[in-house]
Amino acid sequence: MENMGDWEQKNLIAELRQGRELAQQLQIHINSSSSSRETREILLKKILASYEKSLSIANFSSSASGSVVAASEQQYYTGPAAIRMSESPPSLSGDDSDRDLKDHDQKDGSRKRKDMPRWTQQVRVSPGMGLEGPLDDGYSWRKYGQKDILGAKYPRGYYRCTHRNLQGCLATKQVQRSDEDPTIFEITYRGRHTCNQSTLIISPTHQHLESQEPNKNMIDQTQQQHKPQTLTNQHQSQELLINFRTGLKVITDTEDLDSMNEQSRPSFHFPSTSTVKPETHMFSPSTTDNSFTGNFSPSLISPSTPGTNYFSVSATGIHHSYGGTQSFHQSELTDHMISAAASSNNSPTVGFDFPLGNLAFDPNFTFGNNSGYIP
DNA sequence: TGTATTTGACCTGC
DNA sequence: GCAGGTCAAATACA
């Protein structure tokens, strides 16, 4: 804690206050006969998440200034962008994406793939139980291609951000089923989201929660999107989103943490997406968080969308790798994340149906999309 | 009818 | 030249 900088300290305080407010809200809801159980549970989960984040901040603060843990073999980062990222994290100010956009749009074919920041995560899917990790990462993706990969049993699916045309968002991802373990999917993300998916649907269930600090999350997130912050910030957000949503592990990169510590300052804001299905989500897509702008993916609470499937999620098996040459094993933060979700569900298996926005269990594992975006 | 997915063709990078 | 990545027309679906 003594290593904690001003930023961490402020965030920690903000988070603790957040937890207190949420607890107060919960108390109100408990005393209110009109309050639904779901609402109380949501609040409870938020409180837990808030505390977990507080612990994470505290832990991050010490880990960022301290030790470097050996790289996990499950983590990897591919491509030159990974190297560049570890050396000099790309900024969120848009230089990279803008350049990519120009390269892509103006020069048309000269898709500078190698310049795109790229990181990979692994998601485990239980054949019987469904998904053990999120393929819906909180963003809306549209499939634009599928390709058989040499030496791979299963085709690779190519997805781009749904808002590519509207907002010029160049984020893409590739989903590749593992040959060795068909229950594992490798999801490679490329580029960062420049779209603002947080301005999309807010669950009616949570609007009352949102009302306490109206649109603060959106503001924060919007600002975040335009801040000259590093890409790691967004990656981290995605990771955290993923893990909050599923209670899975984050394996992140020490260097990222270092770089975040020095440059980007993890905001823990969560990108939100396009679709909402109030009855199925575990976390609210909107919270009253400020520093922890918990814009959990509305895709968790999406309306019925073509190609969207719902599965039970168990809290095992995700390995999220994120670029860099150094990495550490599951951080304390990771453990906190796990415990947050686990404690919310009293079981390693998250007992809620999960919209697998991008996974369709056909024999070829063709991936559907998460197409429920309502503009 | 609008939107998403599929799939063959084309382009880029190595 | 090959493999991976993207485009875009065709198709499916709600």
Side-chain angles (χ1 to χ4, degrees), chain A residues 22 25 29 34-46 200-212 275-288 296-298 300-303:
Chain A
L22 288 169
Q25 286 181 39
H29 280 273
S34 61
S35 174
S36 70
R37 182 183 172 183
E38 183 192 20
T39 302
R40 283 176 241 161
E41 287 179 350
I42 290 166
L43 281 169
L44 177 61
K45 285 163 187 168
K46 286 183 177 183
L200 303 177
I201 296 170
I202 296 171
S203 165
T205 308
H206 305 107
Q207 284 176 347
H208 68 284
L209 299 177
E210 197 78 34
S211 64
Q212 290 212 347
T275 55
V276 177
K277 188 177 182 79
E279 69 275 16
T280 59
H281 74 287
M282 172 180 174
F283 292 106
S284 165
S286 59
T287 72
T288 58
F296 295 105
S297 168
L300 277 171
I301 45 178
S302 64

Side-chain angles (χ1 to χ4, degrees), chain A residues 77-95:
Chain A
Y77 201 97
T78 53
I83 298 169
R84 188 190 65 178
M85 187 180 265
S86 64
E87 291 171 346
S88 176
S91 79
L92 275 180
S93 62
D95 7 344

Side-chain angles (χ1 to χ4, degrees), chain A residues 171-308:
Chain A
T172 64
K173 75 173 179 181
Q174 301 168 4
V175 181
Q176 173 75 59
R177 193 179 187 184
S178 170
D179 290 342
E180 294 152 2
D181 187 349
T183 65
I184 292 177
F185 292 82
E186 276 184 17
I187 304 177
T188 301
Y189 294 91
R190 285 181 151 184
R192 65 176 178 85
H193 285 272
T194 56
C195 59
N196 186 358
Q197 300 194 28
S198 66
T199 58
L200 303 177
I201 296 170
I202 296 171
S203 165
T205 308
H206 305 107
Q207 284 176 347
H208 68 284
L209 299 177
E210 197 78 34
S211 64
Q212 290 212 347
E213 289 182 289
N215 296 326
K216 193 162 186 179
N217 293 340
M218 294 183 186
I219 293 168
D220 283 351
Q221 181 162 340
T222 303
Q223 290 172 342
Q224 200 72 42
Q225 296 264 353
H226 299 296
K227 276 182 183 176
Q229 302 220 350
T230 68
L231 185 63
T232 58
N233 214 351
Q234 184 177 13
H235 295 172
Q236 190 76 10
S237 298
Q238 288 189 348
E239 294 170 15
L240 292 172
L241 168 66
I242 287 164
N243 287 278
F244 267 104
R245 291 173 59 192
T246 61
L248 301 177
K249 299 174 182 178
V250 172
I251 300 175
T252 184
D253 186 273
T254 301
E255 193 148 355
D256 292 333
L257 291 178
D258 289 341
S259 63
M260 282 194 295
N261 189 35
E262 294 167 2
Q263 302 177 38
S264 65
R265 302 302 190 191
S267 69
F268 291 87
H269 85 272
F270 285 70
S272 78
T273 51
S274 54
T275 55
V276 177
K277 188 177 182 79
E279 69 275 16
T280 59
H281 74 287
M282 172 180 174
F283 292 106
S284 165
S286 59
T287 72
T288 58
D289 297 353
N290 43 17
S291 60
F292 181 23
T293 52
N295 285 323
F296 295 105
S297 168
S299 64
L300 277 171
I301 45 178
S302 64
S304 58
T305 59
T308 298

Side-chain angles (χ1 to χ4, degrees), chain A residues 3 61-70 254-255 257-258 326-328:
Chain A
N3 294 321
S61 176
S62 55
S63 67
S65 60
S67 60
V68 173
V69 185
T254 301
E255 193 148 355
L257 291 178
D258 289 341
Q326 299 176 357
S327 55
F328 59 84

